[in-house]
Amino acid sequence: MADHNALPLVILAEKFASLPGIGMKSAQRLAYHVMSMNDEEVSEFAQALLDAKRNVRSCKCCQNLTEREICPICSDDERDHSVICVVEGPKDVTAFERTREYNGVYHVLHGLLSPMDGITPDKLRFRELLARISQGGVEEVIMATNPTVEGDATAMYAANLLKPLGVKVTRLAFGLPVGGILEYADEVTLYKALENRNEL
Amino acid sequence: MADHNALPLVILAEKFASLPGIGMKSAQRLAYHVMSMNDEEVSEFAQALLDAKRNVRSCKCCQNLTEREICPICSDDERDHSVICVVEGPKDVTAFERTREYNGVYHVLHGLLSPMDGITPDKLRFRELLARISQGGVEEVIMATNPTVEGDATAMYAANLLKPLGVKVTRLAFGLPVGGILEYADEVTLYKALENRNEL
């Protein structure tokens, strides 16, 4: 925003622009929108930012974000604590929960291995995963990281780390997305779908 | 977000989702991003929201958003105060300032006439515009509203309101956008470009 704009608006727009996926033009529009909100709505927004940062922490067990010491999933006795689904971030937990089919527990790594970007195993929550497994009772670890270079590397690292402990380590199946059209599938997906074909 | 998510995060995501152009998925991603910001960054963001709302008001003269009583453009003696460019919102002022070609002043209506949505002339800053003009010294009012139904209606309303006061009321030219391709221009734009053709 040019210098004829009020400074607090310029600062607010810069804050919005620092968020992922919001460019300077959208940020400016959002700043103007805030001006059209009433005082109460703006204070509630500011409070929501502070509350989220202050009151949300990592679950001591699965490392997912929660308000409690132990998150509702980890403290749920009806879930199968012998199966741990390892994911990159909290949004992946939401994705699995949405399927309503998974009844095990999770472990959130808060990232994927990427040595080029300085993300080495000690930057992720592998230590906490090892601690959980060494307490016993875990039979299977499902590596549910994305099918990308980083996701694959993270899954391979976890497999090498955990197999010596006598835990079964599995990986999500790759194949055609349900409802997808074969013609539009990329080569690697199609190859994976062929390789992992099932007998009817 | 499902109920396994921490409540403060759900609330924060809802706040983001209440902003224009941000859907529930993006809002959730933004809420998670806030968790990865450090405490200082989050307080600065919250403070920026409050500061913008508290310290920014409408300029007493042109109604544009500013921190001062009278905005920098209205208090600039080097600008031509006999020409007023009437725009829908503050972002339009920014757009004109970016051209570096306009040296008059502005008047921000904070909306366009839309009786169907309950936006009648008394909801816009026409009263303040009339007050400025009745003080004398204004020779031309340029109606720089969008070439839409609402923008046209607002321009026509202003023309009927201001012409009796002996002020020249003009409207932005319509035509082909510079760098545009004739083949892709819509019929109305092309018709306007033809109608308003200039002798070379």
Side-chain angles (χ1 to χ4, degrees):
Chain A
M1 293 209 250
D3 54 355
H4 69 273
N5 270 112
L7 186 62
L9 270 182
V10 177
I11 292 172
L12 180 58
E14 279 168 3
K15 297 294 173 195
F16 276 122
S18 73
L19 297 175
I22 297 184
M24 203 54 213
K25 272 224 167 163
S26 307
Q28 194 178 327
R29 203 165 44 229
L30 292 175
Y32 286 135
H33 178 80
V34 170
M35 300 307 300
S36 72
M37 286 159 65
N38 63 43
D39 285 356
E40 205 188 350
E41 288 172 322
V42 177
S43 344
E44 279 177 9
F45 197 153
Q47 199 55 48
L49 279 167
L50 298 171
D51 282 350
K53 187 62 190 172
R54 264 182 218 149
N55 302 336
V56 179
R57 68 199 98 177
S58 291
C59 165
K60 283 220 167 169
C61 182
C62 74
Q63 311 295 319
N64 194 10
L65 298 173
T66 178
E67 285 172 279
R68 318 193 201 169
E69 189 99 338
I70 302 290
C71 79
I73 294 175
C74 286
S75 46
D76 185 346
D77 288 338
E78 304 215 335
R79 299 193 71 130
D80 182 356
H81 290 255
S82 71
V83 183
I84 300 180
C85 178
V86 177
V87 294
E88 176 184 351
K91 65 182 181 304
D92 303 315
V93 173
T94 305
F96 274 102
E97 286 300 287
R98 229 184 280 126
T99 69
R100 293 163 192 270
E101 290 293 337
Y102 180 68
N103 197 39
V105 292
Y106 298 94
H107 192 84
V108 180
L109 291 175
H110 290 279
L112 292 176
L113 285 184
S114 181
M116 299 278 278
D117 304 313
I119 306 178
T120 45
D122 57 299
K123 298 272 182 8
L124 305 178
R125 310 286 170 93
F126 278 117
R127 205 176 304 112
E128 293 82 355
L129 179 59
L130 270 179
R132 283 177 82 177
I133 290 165
S134 57
Q135 281 172 16
V138 178
E139 282 162 25
E140 183 180 355
V141 168
I142 306 168
M143 292 305 300
T145 51
N146 282 334
T148 57
V149 175
E150 290 82 11
D152 285 342
T154 309
M156 287 309 295
Y157 175 84
N160 292 333
L161 186 76
L162 304 176
K163 274 186 183 163
L165 302 173
V167 192
K168 187 173 154 196
V169 182
T170 57
R171 180 112 169 84
L172 287 189
F174 299 129
L176 293 174
V178 176
I181 296 167
L182 205 138
E183 185 182 347
Y184 297 138
D186 65 289
E187 301 82 352
V188 183
T189 302
L190 208 50
Y191 167 73
K192 293 272 188 189
L194 192 64
E195 195 180 45
N196 300 320
R197 66 191 179 278
N198 298 304
E199 203 176 311
L200 292 173
Chain B
M1 295 210 250
D3 53 355
H4 69 275
N5 271 111
L7 188 63
L9 270 181
V10 177
I11 292 172
L12 180 58
E14 279 167 2
K15 297 294 175 197
F16 277 122
S18 74
L19 298 174
I22 298 184
M24 203 53 215
K25 272 225 167 162
S26 307
Q28 194 178 327
R29 203 166 44 232
L30 292 174
Y32 286 134
H33 177 80
V34 169
M35 300 306 302
S36 72
M37 287 159 65
N38 64 42
D39 285 355
E40 205 188 351
E41 289 173 322
V42 177
S43 343
E44 280 176 9
F45 197 153
Q47 199 55 49
L49 279 166
L50 298 171
D51 282 350
K53 186 64 190 171
R54 264 182 220 147
N55 302 337
V56 179
R57 71 199 97 177
S58 291
C59 165
K60 283 218 167 169
C61 182
C62 75
Q63 310 296 317
N64 194 9
L65 298 174
T66 179
E67 286 172 279
R68 319 190 200 170
E69 190 98 340
I70 302 290
C71 79
I73 293 176
C74 287
S75 45
D76 185 348
D77 287 339
E78 305 217 332
R79 299 194 71 129
D80 182 356
H81 290 256
S82 72
V83 183
I84 300 180
C85 178
V86 178
V87 294
E88 176 184 352
K91 63 182 182 304
D92 303 315
V93 174
T94 306
F96 275 103
E97 286 301 286
R98 229 184 280 125
T99 68
R100 294 161 191 271
E101 290 293 340
Y102 179 68
N103 196 39
V105 291
Y106 297 94
H107 192 84
V108 179
L109 290 175
H110 290 278
L112 292 176
L113 286 183
S114 180
M116 299 279 278
D117 304 314
I119 306 178
T120 45
D122 57 300
K123 297 273 182 5
L124 304 178
R125 310 288 171 92
F126 278 116
R127 205 175 304 113
E128 292 82 355
L129 179 60
L130 271 179
R132 283 177 80 176
I133 289 165
S134 57
Q135 281 170 17
V138 178
E139 281 163 25
E140 183 180 356
V141 169
I142 305 168
M143 292 305 300
T145 50
N146 283 332
T148 57
V149 175
E150 290 82 9
D152 286 342
T154 309
M156 286 309 295
Y157 176 84
N160 292 333
L161 187 76
L162 304 177
K163 272 185 184 163
L165 302 174
V167 192
K168 186 172 154 197
V169 182
T170 57
R171 180 110 169 86
L172 287 189
F174 298 129
L176 292 175
V178 176
I181 296 167
L182 205 137
E183 185 183 347
Y184 298 138
D186 65 287
E187 301 81 354
V188 183
T189 302
L190 206 52
Y191 167 72
K192 293 274 187 188
L194 192 64
E195 195 180 45
N196 300 321
R197 65 191 179 277
N198 297 307
E199 203 175 311
L200 291 176

